[in-house]
């Protein structure tokens, strides 16, 4: 008969440990809820695989061999490891014995609007939770980095394309507003003519030169004069302060990087847009990841 140590499986190891603990084949069969012949057959198979009798007669009972004594504790560890593999553990952020590491891909709008509250929540937890925040550059970049594990989670504009292995959850909707330094404007640029007459700054993330605002203006036969382009919202705030340059930005920045600027309605028909969090489906059932996504969702509901 060909014997392979890989023939050992969970059932055989559990059977061995039950016989070891009960000190009886009959008692082991009762505990396992099977017939004695089944236990005897399994023990014979174990003896063939291990190459040791494992249990020998001693009076009316049986006693483990030296090799069985050596095996017992190792088998307990193996069985527990197998149980752990089949169990999705919970995550307790207030347990100081737990830890989690997260890499979040996002840009400075989300850094300003969402992440400060997340950091405060994390710092209030007893668990050792650490965050790493990296910039993202469009849907393709997000999808690739979620797939290869460079990112655990991405927060940004809701991706237009539905991708089978990438899950998304809408967080909130946003609309555009105009921000300007009131000391350099006698009237707000809240009409289309005044809006198009003043100099503009815009934020373009990534390597493209495309702007949805310019597309909306072109659609109605108008255009604006862009005198400044930057890759972050925070830099726009620093650069246009003390000038007549205005910026069309997401409205929630009013309380963050654009604090201190005047604000008026965006005078161009422009649809609201959604922000979402995205993750790879391999992390869908992970308890730490579910906790993180849940906290971000709760933060977004309070915005």
């Amino acid at each position: 008969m060909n014997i392979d140590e890989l023939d050992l499986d969970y059932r055989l190891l559990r059977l061995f440990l039950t016989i070891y603990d009960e000190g009886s084949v009959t008692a082991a069969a009762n505990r396992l809820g099977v017939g004695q012949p089944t236990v005897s057959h399994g023990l014979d198979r174990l003896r063939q695989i291990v190459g040791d009798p494992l249990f020998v007669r001693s009076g009316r009972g049986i006693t483990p061999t030296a090799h069985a004594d050596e095996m017992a504790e190792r088998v307990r560890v193996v069985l527990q490891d197998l149980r752990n593999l089949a169990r999705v553990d919970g995550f307790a952020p207030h347990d100081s014995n737990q830890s989690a590491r997260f890499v979040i891909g996002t840009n400075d709008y989300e850094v300003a609007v969402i992440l400060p509250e997340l950091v405060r929540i994390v710092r209030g937890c007893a668990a050792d939770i650490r965050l790493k925040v990296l910039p993202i550059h469009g849907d393709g970049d997000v999808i690739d980095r979620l797939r290869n594990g460079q990112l655990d989670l991405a927060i940004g504009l809701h991706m237009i394309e539905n991708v089978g292995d990438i899950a998304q959850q809408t967080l909130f909707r946003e609309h555009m507003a105009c921000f300007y330094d009131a000391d350099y404007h006698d009237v707000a640029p809240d009409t289309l003519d005044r809006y198009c007459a003043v100099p503009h700054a815009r934020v373009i993330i990534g390597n493209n030169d495309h702007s949805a605002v310019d597309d909306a203006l072109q659609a109605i036969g108008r255009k604006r004069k862009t005198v400044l382009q930057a890759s972050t919202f925070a830099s726009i705030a620093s650069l246009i302060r003390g000038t007549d340059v205005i910026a069309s930005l997401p409205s929630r920045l009013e309380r963050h990087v654009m604090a201190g600027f005047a604000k008026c309605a965006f005078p161009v028909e422009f649809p609201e847009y959604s922000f979402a969090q995205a993750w790879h489906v391999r992390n869908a059932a992970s308890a730490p990841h579910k906790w993180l996504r849940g906290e971000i969702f709760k933060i977004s509901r309070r915005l």
Side-chain angles (χ1 to χ4, degrees), residues 145-151 165 279-286:
R145 292 162 72 191
L146 288 172
R147 280 175 172 164
N148 64 28
Q150 292 179 0
L151 297 177
D165 59 337
W279 61 94
H280 194 274
V281 293
R282 68 173 171 273
N283 292 323
S286 165

Side-chain angles (χ1 to χ4, degrees), residues 260-295:
F261 283 85
K263 173 188 169 188
C264 69
F266 187 56
V268 182
E269 187 173 340
F270 197 86
E272 286 191 336
Y273 45 97
S274 298
F275 284 84
Q277 57 181 339
W279 61 94
H280 194 274
V281 293
R282 68 173 171 273
N283 292 323
S286 165
H289 287 254
K290 288 170 70 175
W291 172 83
L292 176 69
R293 298 195 300 265
E295 294 303 317

Side-chain angles (χ1 to χ4, degrees), residues 11-12 14-16 19 25-26 28-30 32-46:
R11 283 183 288 272
L12 283 178
R14 186 180 65 157
L15 181 143
F16 161 78
I19 298 172
V25 170
T26 301
N30 290 335
L32 292 170
V34 298
Q36 185 172 327
T38 300
V39 175
S40 297
H41 176 76
L43 180 55
D44 288 341
R45 182 67 178 160
L46 267 169

Side-chain angles (χ1 to χ4, degrees), residues 11-24:
R11 283 183 288 272
L12 283 178
L13 293 177
R14 186 180 65 157
L15 181 143
F16 161 78
L17 204 56
T18 305
I19 298 172
Y20 185 90
D21 290 341
E22 295 291 338
S24 163

Side-chain angles (χ1 to χ4, degrees), residues 26 33 63 81 90 92 99 140 143 149 167 199 228 235 237 245 281 285 287:
T26 301
T63 189
D81 286 345
S99 64
I143 292 168
L228 174 65
S235 58
V245 180
V281 293

Side-chain angles (χ1 to χ4, degrees), residues 103-107 132-155 159 163 165-166 205-206 278-283 289:
V103 182
I104 301 174
T106 193
N107 289 307
K132 184 176 183 179
V133 181
L134 300 176
I136 52 178
H137 306 290
D139 291 1
D141 173 63
V142 168
I143 292 168
D144 289 345
R145 292 162 72 191
L146 288 172
R147 280 175 172 164
N148 64 28
Q150 292 179 0
L151 297 177
D152 296 312
L153 186 74
I155 310 173
M159 289 187 284
V163 183
D165 59 337
I166 305 297
I205 297 172
W279 61 94
H280 194 274
V281 293
R282 68 173 171 273
N283 292 323
H289 287 254

Side-chain angles (χ1 to χ4, degrees), residues 65-130:
T65 65
H67 186 66
D69 283 331
E70 292 175 3
M71 280 179 57
E73 289 311 308
R74 292 161 62 191
V75 169
R76 290 189 204 280
V77 172
V78 169
L79 291 181
Q80 187 57 52
D81 286 345
L82 288 171
R83 292 186 192 103
N84 290 340
L85 284 173
R87 184 180 66 213
V88 178
D89 290 330
F91 179 68
H94 300 298
D95 182 350
S96 60
N97 294 316
Q98 299 213 14
S99 64
R101 305 288 183 270
F102 301 111
V103 182
I104 301 174
T106 193
N107 289 307
D108 71 331
Y109 170 84
E110 298 83 6
V111 167
V113 173
I114 296 175
L115 292 195
E117 179 64 18
L118 179 63
V119 171
R120 284 189 284 272
I121 290 170
V122 165
R123 296 308 304 148
C125 296
D128 180 15
I129 303 171
R130 305 186 191 186

